[in-house]
Amino acid sequence: MTKFSDLKLGPKVQKAIEEAGYETPTPIQAQAIPAALEGRDVLGIAQTGTGKTASFTLPMITHLARGRAKARMPRSLVLAPTRELAAQVAENFDTYAKHVKLTKALLIGGVSFKEQDQLIDKGVDVLIATPGRLLDHFERGKLLLTDVKIMVVDEADRMLDMGFIPDIERIFSLVPFTRQTLFFSATMAPEIERITNTFLSSPHRVEVARQATASETIAQAVLEFKPSRRDRAASEKRRALRELIDREGDKLTNAIVFCNRKTDVDTVSKSLKKYGYDAAPIHGDLDQSQRTRTLDGFRGGELRILVASDVAARGLDVPSVSHVFNFDVPGHAEDYVHRIGRTGRAGREGKAITICQPSDEKNLEDVERLLGKPIPRVELEAHAEAPAKNEEEAGTPKPERRSSRRRSKEVEPANVAEPAQDVEPVKQADAEPAANAPAKDEKPKPQRGRGSRQGGRDNNRDRDVIGMGDHLPSFIEKSFEERLAS
Ligand code: AMP
């Protein structure tokens, strides 16, 4: 097994690694660092959590320890798709370069240009930036990229998703041809392949852990969610989430709730807060100081539930998350693996529970195909049994007057949701009618015994309950744990 001492990193870098408590290099570090130290281009196909950040920061620091930066001419450049990732890379530099005198600047949106200009003016060894912000600085004539000796592109596949590839190509054209390029991506989409063929020179290719690998320590489950009425879909889904959270009890120490849409991130977070949960949102439209505060709170254990979009949470390094909830099934199956990879890290146990509404079924099929196995289903207690305090939200249809009051109540205290957001899933159901969705002209029916019309692996769900109306007492049902284990 490779040891850090075999890697020819500078002694001051070795010392910082020891102080960080790392004993052995991760596979990507063992393979990428020697090539990077030789000055070769590296193409790293690795997801977050593999130690990939250190695989480029450690050799960079070793190289940059010699020489000095000139004013406005950074000696190295790291491009990251989001502000959080850029900030995380900057933290890595702080940790590993603590015994080396290196200057760095972080160019991300939401921070004043003036402060950033001052740093660049003095000259920086490492410039860490999101592509748009870097080009803004360049176009303002404040930055010269002609002295860049090492350029890193991190999370290139996410750059592609976010439409940054033209910016990346432009930046490649602004840095010297003789630079060294370290390029990282979790997947090799054709567009990424094209970029690497164009801009990397005989790279040393390192690939670790297949994309579809979900840690064996993560217990996964899916709740097939069917609203009792289309106009209640949004609020019932939020209630389903609360029930899923509640049933985890003390085992849930902290959790990330992922939503596909930014509007849902806000709505779900406000709704959880309204119901007394310790939750806060993170997505790209929030200002930087708020995002940083929220993340620090979550990392530090003061915040229990982080509600996040994929982009904001991508690559975030939060060491121990006990639970991941997918409020929606992600549109890209790979994102599912990324999302649930936030839990069950470093051999710890974790649980990932996904809510799948009828319009998400195709996405769920894609996820299961990628995983190569079905995800066990779980169910909630029958909604008819919901405690009185949530009566307004219970599945049983109420006269219209109460229904509209219920909606306004949902909105009222914290301005939780604009009505338009509440009806969003209804539109989806319209666009993509599921086999069991009510026909357009059909009146909404009271919810039947739980999941009674759902297909799927659990035949029990097809039964109607005789002698109890539509109500199936919970003690008849298997417990959540039993289902997970089955
Ligand atoms: P990354 O994939 O770069 O986001 O890194 C994931 C986590 O692994 C970070 O918390 C790092 O601090 C940690 N890490 C990186 N390299 C090592 C190592 N060799 N040993 C133990 N932990 C590491």
Side-chain angles (χ1 to χ4, degrees):
M1 189 193 283
T2 315
K3 297 195 287 295
F4 273 114
S5 53
D6 302 332
L7 290 181
K8 302 197 177 118
L9 290 161
K12 291 180 177 167
V13 178
Q14 296 273 14
K15 190 169 173 223
I17 294 168
E18 265 167 50
E19 287 166 4
Y22 302 167
E23 283 164 12
T24 48
T26 64
I28 188 143
Q29 290 163 3
Q31 295 172 65
I33 291 173
L37 284 173
E38 281 170 23
R40 288 189 64 183
D41 283 0
V42 172
L43 170 58
I45 304 160
Q47 317 179 21
T48 188
T50 53
K52 69 179 167 58
T53 319
S55 77
F56 63 81
T57 43
L58 298 176
M60 280 175 83
I61 297 165
T62 302
H63 276 310
L64 295 168
R66 297 181 290 267
R68 272 189 61 131
K70 300 180 203 127
R72 292 192 192 178
M73 296 171 86
R75 298 163 67 206
S76 67
L77 175 62
V78 181
L79 296 173
T82 64
R83 303 167 188 186
E84 279 74 20
L85 273 168
Q88 212 163 276
V89 171
E91 276 171 31
N92 271 256
F93 271 102
D94 289 342
T95 307
Y96 307 134
K98 65 194 227 197
H99 302 299
V100 181
K101 208 164 171 286
L102 281 189
T103 51
K104 67 169 179 13
L106 186 59
L107 299 192
I108 51 177
V111 178
S112 89
F113 276 98
K114 201 170 156 221
E115 262 172 57
Q116 297 178 336
D117 283 346
Q118 282 167 353
L119 282 171
I120 296 170
D121 276 350
K122 280 192 224 150
V124 289
D125 297 301
V126 187
L127 189 59
I128 305 158
T130 49
R133 190 66 165 206
L134 180 88
L135 287 172
D136 284 349
H137 276 272
F138 183 79
E139 268 146 27
R140 289 166 68 246
K142 298 283 179 186
L143 181 63
L144 292 165
L145 295 173
T146 43
D147 199 32
V148 169
K149 300 193 171 57
I150 309 172
M151 170 159 157
V152 177
V153 178
D154 195 14
E155 305 253 355
D157 51 334
R158 183 55 44 157
M159 305 259 198
L160 176 67
D161 288 351
M162 295 172 76
F164 289 159
I165 294 298
D167 285 353
I168 297 294
E169 291 192 70
R170 166 121 199 267
I171 296 167
F172 266 123
S173 74
L174 299 172
V175 295
F177 183 68
T178 50
R179 72 182 181 264
Q180 178 184 19
T181 309
L182 310 175
F183 191 101
F184 293 82
S185 184
T187 57
M188 285 303 284
E191 186 66 355
I192 304 280
E193 194 92 49
R194 182 184 68 76
I195 297 282
T196 57
N197 290 340
T198 313
F199 296 106
L200 272 64
S201 158
S202 346
H204 176 68
R205 188 180 168 114
V206 182
E207 185 161 2
V208 299
R210 271 190 325 119
Q211 177 63 19
T213 312
S215 163
E216 292 301 317
T217 58
I218 306 171
Q220 300 175 59
V222 165
L223 171 74
E224 288 179 349
F225 167 76
K226 301 277 196 298
S228 66
R229 274 177 29 176
R230 288 163 159 213
D231 59 345
R232 292 184 169 166
S235 62
E236 285 186 5
K237 197 174 173 192
R238 292 196 289 271
R239 185 182 54 181
L241 173 68
R242 293 196 297 277
E243 288 183 35
L244 288 171
I245 292 173
D246 290 348
R247 64 200 300 167
E248 293 305 303
D250 292 343
K251 282 178 284 165
L252 190 151
T253 48
N254 57 352
I256 304 181
V257 176
F258 284 99
C259 302
N260 288 1
R261 287 170 288 265
K262 279 186 236 173
T263 49
D264 281 341
V265 170
D266 275 331
T267 311
V268 168
S269 166
K270 282 178 188 166
S271 164
L272 284 172
K273 261 198 259 177
K274 188 184 96 174
Y275 281 89
Y277 297 80
D278 180 20
I282 181 157
H283 61 68
D285 290 348
L286 298 172
D287 79 66
Q288 185 58 33
S289 62
Q290 194 179 349
R291 285 158 64 157
T292 309
R293 220 175 25 248
T294 301
L295 268 181
D296 287 349
F298 190 64
R299 283 206 189 99
E302 296 101 53
L303 173 70
R304 190 157 169 254
I305 302 177
L306 183 70
V307 187
S309 63
D310 286 292
V311 168
R314 173 82 176 214
L316 290 184
D317 182 29
V318 182
S320 57
V321 176
S322 71
H323 286 70
V324 165
F325 295 92
N326 290 316
F327 188 68
D328 317 277
V329 184
H332 299 289
E334 293 81 21
D335 281 338
Y336 176 86
V337 180
H338 283 296
R339 287 181 179 188
I340 72 165
R342 313 280 91 211
T343 184
R345 289 192 142 193
R348 289 190 194 90
E349 300 221 322
K351 197 179 261 187
I353 306 172
T354 300
I355 302 178
C356 176
Q357 63 188 32
S359 55
D360 279 347
E361 272 163 18
K362 198 186 150 299
N363 290 343
L364 183 63
E365 278 170 25
D366 291 345
V367 168
E368 292 186 322
R369 197 172 311 117
L370 182 71
L371 296 174
K373 58 178 185 188
I375 305 170
R377 297 324 194 239
V378 286
E379 292 180 9
L380 291 175
E381 309 245 321
H383 285 165
E385 274 194 330
K389 69 169 175 139
N390 282 349
E391 196 196 8
E392 296 94 333
E393 284 200 330
T396 322
K398 301 271 186 336
E400 199 44 45
R401 190 178 58 78
R402 297 208 52 180
S403 161
S404 54
R405 233 185 55 202
R406 177 194 61 73
R407 265 204 301 278
S408 59
K409 187 171 178 224
E410 175 81 22
V411 176
E412 218 174 66
N415 277 334
V416 168
E418 289 148 28
Q421 287 171 7
D422 258 357
V423 293
E424 201 169 287
V426 179
K427 282 194 217 132
Q428 286 180 351
D430 270 337
E432 202 183 313
N436 48 8
K440 276 211 166 90
D441 54 352
E442 198 182 326
K443 282 222 171 77
K445 290 196 182 115
Q447 194 177 25
R448 303 174 70 200
R450 112 183 50 164
S452 57
R453 288 186 290 172
Q454 291 169 5
R457 58 192 268 297
D458 188 349
N459 294 335
N460 285 343
R461 277 185 271 156
D462 279 334
R463 76 201 148 191
D464 275 337
V465 184
I466 297 169
M468 294 181 186
D470 285 326
H471 170 63
L472 182 62
S474 62
F475 62 83
I476 295 179
E477 292 286 334
K478 273 189 190 172
S479 74
F480 180 62
E481 297 304 328
E482 284 173 302
R483 285 187 178 280
L484 261 189
S486 66

